Amino acid sequence: MIITTPDPAAAAGYVADLYREDLETDGFVFSHTRAMAVNPEALHAFETLIHAIVPSIGIRTYELATLAAAAAIGSPHCLLAHGRKALRAEAVDETQLANIVTGADDETLSAADHAVLDFARRLSTDPGDMTDADAQALRDAGFDDRQIVDITLAAAARNYFSRALQALAVPVEDGLAGLDLEGRAHGLRAVLVGDEQLAGLDIRQTQLDKGAFRHAVGLGEDIHRRGYVGGISLQCAHGRNSKQDRQ
C-alpha cells in the first residue's frame, strides 16, 4: 500500500473514534480502517448505507450476503472482519461459516439462506448475466421487494468495499498470512485467526475445539453481554454508527 494513512498518534475527531473502536474491540487498528480513514466522509457515507440496508433483512441475512460476496471476491479483509462479527452475533456457527466461505453444501442452512448465498455469489462473479430469474429465486424463498433490493445492496456494498481494499493493495493482518483463497480448497484457514495457535487450522473440519476457536476469534465471556453487531442492536435494528459497520 503506497498511500499514507492518518497517524494514530495524531488522529482527531471521527478518525480518532475509528481507531479507538478498533483498539477497544480487537487490540489494534486494522489496515483497512487506516486506508479508509484517508477519506472519512466516504467511510461515513458507507456506514449510513449499511444502516439503511440492515433493518429490513436483519443481521443474519446481511452477514450471509456479505460473507458470500467476500468469499466470491476473495477478500481476506472482509472475511476476517465479518467472520468474527457473524460468530460474535451467533448468526452462524463455526461449521456453517466454513461452509459458506468454501461453498460447501450445508444442510443446516435454510432454503432462504441458500437463496441469499447463491444470489450474492452470482452478483460478485457474474453480474452482467443476471436476470429476473435470480431475483425471482429470492422472492420464491419468501423475500419481499424491499428485502430483495436490500440483499442486492448488501452484496453490492461488499463488492465496493472489498474491491477498493484490493485495488489499494491494503495489507492483510499478519494472522492471515497463510490464507488460501485462490482455490478456496482450504477455505478460511487463518481468516478468523486472532491467535497463532490456530494459524494452520483447516476449518473444513467439522470437529473443532470450539473453546479454542472462540478464543482465537476474540470471543470472550462477554459475548452474551454484547447487545449489538455491526453497530446495530440485536434487540433494535437502529443502532449508532460504529466501527463494526465499516468492514
Side-chain angles (χ1 to χ4, degrees), residues 6-24:
D7 183 354
Y14 178 62
V15 173
D17 289 341
L18 300 179
Y19 286 4
R20 183 176 62 253
E21 289 169 351
D22 269 8
L23 288 168
E24 290 176 351

Side-chain angles (χ1 to χ4, degrees), residues 125-145:
T125 58
D126 197 22
D129 286 335
M130 295 182 78
T131 68
D132 283 343
D134 296 289
Q136 186 64 48
L138 291 176
R139 176 166 288 166
D140 292 345
F143 295 104
D144 62 27
D145 287 350

Side-chain angles (χ1 to χ4, degrees), residues 101-125:
V101 173
T102 61
D105 188 37
D106 192 323
E107 294 182 355
T108 69
L109 296 173
S110 69
D113 292 339
H114 282 293
V116 171
L117 297 174
D118 291 344
F119 186 90
R121 289 170 182 141
R122 187 156 166 76
L123 182 153
S124 303
T125 58

Side-chain angles (χ1 to χ4, degrees), residues 82-246:
H82 282 276
R84 290 160 72 99
K85 289 178 191 178
L87 290 174
R88 284 172 174 163
E90 299 186 339
V92 296
D93 62 31
E94 293 92 337
T95 301
Q96 289 172 332
L97 179 58
N99 289 336
I100 289 168
V101 173
T102 61
D105 188 37
D106 192 323
E107 294 182 355
T108 69
L109 296 173
S110 69
D113 292 339
H114 282 293
V116 171
L117 297 174
D118 291 344
F119 186 90
R121 289 170 182 141
R122 187 156 166 76
L123 182 153
S124 303
T125 58
D126 197 22
D129 286 335
M130 295 182 78
T131 68
D132 283 343
D134 296 289
Q136 186 64 48
L138 291 176
R139 176 166 288 166
D140 292 345
F143 295 104
D144 62 27
D145 287 350
R146 171 62 186 267
Q147 290 172 322
I148 292 171
V149 169
D150 285 343
I151 290 167
T152 304
L153 290 174
R158 189 52 38 201
N159 274 258
Y160 153 74
F161 204 101
S162 294
R163 294 184 190 279
L165 297 178
Q166 291 175 324
L168 290 170
V170 176
V172 180
E173 275 58 44
D174 289 343
L176 302 184
L179 179 64
D180 173 12
L181 280 175
E182 181 64 26
R184 287 164 59 187
H186 296 291
L188 293 177
R189 295 195 62 177
V191 171
L192 304 176
V193 173
D195 189 312
E196 291 184 358
Q197 66 178 333
L198 294 185
L201 176 67
D202 181 348
I203 197 170
R204 290 175 302 164
Q205 300 173 19
T206 57
Q207 299 301 319
L208 298 176
D209 181 340
K210 293 186 178 181
F213 193 97
R214 284 175 174 268
H215 171 73
V217 297
L219 297 174
E221 293 300 321
D222 66 336
I223 181 172
H224 295 295
R225 293 196 293 272
R226 293 187 178 199
Y228 66 90
V229 64
I232 299 170
S233 170
L234 294 177
Q235 287 73 42
C236 174
H238 303 282
R240 68 178 183 84
N241 286 342
S242 82
K243 183 275 291 187
Q244 300 281 355
D245 286 316
R246 296 195 310 278

Side-chain angles (χ1 to χ4, degrees), residues 26-88:
D26 291 285
F28 61 94
V29 179
F30 280 99
S31 298
H32 66 253
T33 300
R34 297 189 63 165
M36 294 297 100
V38 172
N39 186 341
E41 293 81 11
L43 184 53
H44 182 73
F46 179 77
E47 292 179 349
T48 301
L49 171 63
I50 301 306
H51 275 271
I53 292 171
V54 173
S56 80
I57 59 177
I59 291 294
R60 187 169 189 275
T61 296
Y62 169 73
E63 292 296 349
L64 290 176
T66 296
L67 287 165
I73 296 164
S75 170
H77 308 86
C78 295
L79 287 174
L80 168 66
H82 282 276
R84 290 160 72 99
K85 289 178 191 178
L87 290 174
R88 284 172 174 163

